[in-house]
């Protein structure tokens, strides 16, 4: 037996032991579930998980392996939370669109074990979470090239009981999809969501005769093209959508910029963060007085926080008035956030902490 075979045999032996230990661990998790069901305690306890990670990582004698074990244990705890949510009936996640939509892809990466609820509009996702029909909602928040998803920002403002539980950054690859046998030079009409078109201006500019028709969702556009069966029609959508609806990729990677990413947010009706929080989002509206914006921004600096993003949106019920959205990193302890919100209230007509959450990146 050579070295590779010996190593694989050893890994098989360890995997068998780990399988037994996994079952033992999950039986203990089931006891935790029963306790939480009786007491109403949340699934996620940030302080507890951080302490467990620190304690167990310190047990690894090989320092080079410690960060890998910490990541391994973090994944195990994530699986444990998913199992707890399923046992407690808190594992439903809503998204807008149909299978193959980018929101659906984000949902499957964030909640691989969740029950899915498909919604027609982003507003319905918020309603499902607010009404308790879904524990979480997954929504696009901002594209690295096309900018923010304004409707989602507005819905956050108009749903005061909804908070951000997590943010996830996903690479987006847009493809031109058509029915089998279709050819790019025979296409006359293209369907996609407005964000899909906005991410592919260079490619679309090379085909000025094409009629671009906005649709509810990229994957719904792909399904529509499949249902029409017209070789002159195409959709801008994901490769997963092509697989779901029996389409062919007529032109791959048609997005203009290689680093095309979209930030997705997970929303919840209760403080149920997923992972160790490292980011916060605040929204506020200012009084029309000199220096209010300067003082508001100075508050972040004074609290040792780093403002990584700021966005303004018009208030639909008040002409020429705006609300601001700010992403923060840094000193995000509860006590500091409390002081920050108190400071903002002095210059703001309305301010709200939208969430303290983990901002994960998925590549």
């Amino acid at each position: 037996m050579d070295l590779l075979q010996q190593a694989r045999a050893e890994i098989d032996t360890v995997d068998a032991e780990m399988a037994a230990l996994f079952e033992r661990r999950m039986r203990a998790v089931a006891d935790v579930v029963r306790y939480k069901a009786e007491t109403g305690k949340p699934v996620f306890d940030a302080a507890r998980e951080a302490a467990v990670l620190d304690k167990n990582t310190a047990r690894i004698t090989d320092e080079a392996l410690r960060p890998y074990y910490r990541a391994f244990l973090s994944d195990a705890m994530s699986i444990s939370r998913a199992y707890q949510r399923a046992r407690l009936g808190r594992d439903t996640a809503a998204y807008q669109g149909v299978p193959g939509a980018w929101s659906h892809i984000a949902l499957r990466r964030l909640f691989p074990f969740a029950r899915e609820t498909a919604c027609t509009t982003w507003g319905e996702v918020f309603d499902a979470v607010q009404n308790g029909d879904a524990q979480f909602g997954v929504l696009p928040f901002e594209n690295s090239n096309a900018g923010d998803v304004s409707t989602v920002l507005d819905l956050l403002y108009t749903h005061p009981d909804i908070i951000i539980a997590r943010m996830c950054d996903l690479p987006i690859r847009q493809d031109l999809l058509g029915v089998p046998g279709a050819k790019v030079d025979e296409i006359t009409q293209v369907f996609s969501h407005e964000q899909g078109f906005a991410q592919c201006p260079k490619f679309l500019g090379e085909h000025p005769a094409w009629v671009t028709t906005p649709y509810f969702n990229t994957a719904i556009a792909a399904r529509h093209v499949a249902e029409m069966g017209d070789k002159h029609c195409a959709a801008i959508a994901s490769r997963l959508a092509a697989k779901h609806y029996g389409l062919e990729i007529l032109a791959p990677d048609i997005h203009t910029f290689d680093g095309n990413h979209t930030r997705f947010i997970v929303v919840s009706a209760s403080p149920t963060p997923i992972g160790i929080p490292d980011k916060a989002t605040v929204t506020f509206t200012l009084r029309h007085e000199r220096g209010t914006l300067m003082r508001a921004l100075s508050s972040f600096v004074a609290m040792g926080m780093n403002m990584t993003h700021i966005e303004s949106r018009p208030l639909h019920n008040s002409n020429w008035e705006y609300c601001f959205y700010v992403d923060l990193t840094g000193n995000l302890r509860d006590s500091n956030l409390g002081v920050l919100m108190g400071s903002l209230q002095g210059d703001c007509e309305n301010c709200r902490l939208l969430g303290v959450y983990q901002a994960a990146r998925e590549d």
Side-chain angles (χ1 to χ4, degrees), residues 20 49 168 284:
E49 291 205 3
C168 178
F284 56 88

Side-chain angles (χ1 to χ4, degrees), residues 34-262:
R34 284 190 286 272
Y35 173 78
K36 289 183 177 180
E38 293 171 358
T39 61
K41 286 185 173 292
V43 168
F44 180 74
D45 184 337
R48 162 69 180 168
E49 291 205 3
V52 169
L53 286 170
D54 290 341
K55 177 182 70 176
N56 286 285
T57 300
R59 290 172 172 167
I60 301 299
T61 56
D62 186 341
E63 290 190 12
L65 293 178
R66 285 180 180 175
Y68 298 99
Y69 182 71
R70 189 179 186 91
F72 173 82
L73 187 58
S74 180
D75 286 343
M77 297 171 81
S78 176
I79 291 169
S80 171
R81 290 196 299 272
Y83 181 60
Q84 290 181 56
R85 287 194 292 267
R87 293 287 295 265
L88 291 167
R90 306 176 189 172
D91 63 335
T92 300
Y95 71 100
Q96 184 268 335
V98 294
W102 284 108
S103 291
H104 179 250
I105 294 170
L107 184 151
R108 296 314 307 159
R109 294 199 186 188
L110 289 163
F111 302 102
F113 309 107
R115 293 175 292 172
E116 302 169 6
T117 295
C119 300
T120 303
T121 66
W122 290 322
E124 288 181 12
V125 174
F126 276 85
D127 292 341
V129 172
Q130 186 163 278
N131 297 336
D133 295 327
Q135 179 75 4
F136 301 106
V138 179
L139 302 122
F141 192 67
E142 181 185 19
N143 179 262
S144 58
N145 301 300
D148 66 83
V149 183
S150 301
T151 302
V152 173
L153 283 172
D154 294 340
L155 286 165
L156 277 170
Y157 188 83
T158 56
H159 287 74
D161 297 326
I162 299 295
I163 63 169
I164 300 173
R166 187 177 183 181
M167 184 175 287
C168 178
D169 182 358
L170 290 181
I172 303 296
R173 300 177 63 178
Q174 299 289 13
D175 299 313
L176 185 72
L177 313 180
V179 298
K183 298 179 180 179
V184 173
D185 57 7
E186 295 178 353
I187 298 299
T188 59
Q189 186 174 16
V190 180
F191 297 85
S192 190
H193 188 270
E194 290 178 352
Q195 281 277 330
F197 291 136
Q199 293 168 27
C200 309
K202 183 176 183 296
F203 180 79
L204 292 173
E206 296 169 356
H207 304 277
W210 287 358
V211 176
T212 54
T213 304
Y215 225 64
F216 305 103
N217 173 275
T218 56
I220 296 176
R223 186 179 67 182
H224 179 62
V225 168
E227 291 171 347
M228 287 192 300
D230 188 340
K231 293 182 179 180
H232 299 97
C233 294
I236 295 176
S238 70
R239 297 183 180 190
L240 186 59
K243 182 178 179 180
H244 266 290
Y245 304 112
L247 298 176
E248 293 182 349
I249 299 175
L250 307 183
D253 298 331
I254 62 172
H255 43 275
T256 299
F257 300 99
D258 291 337
N260 189 32
H261 283 71
T262 292

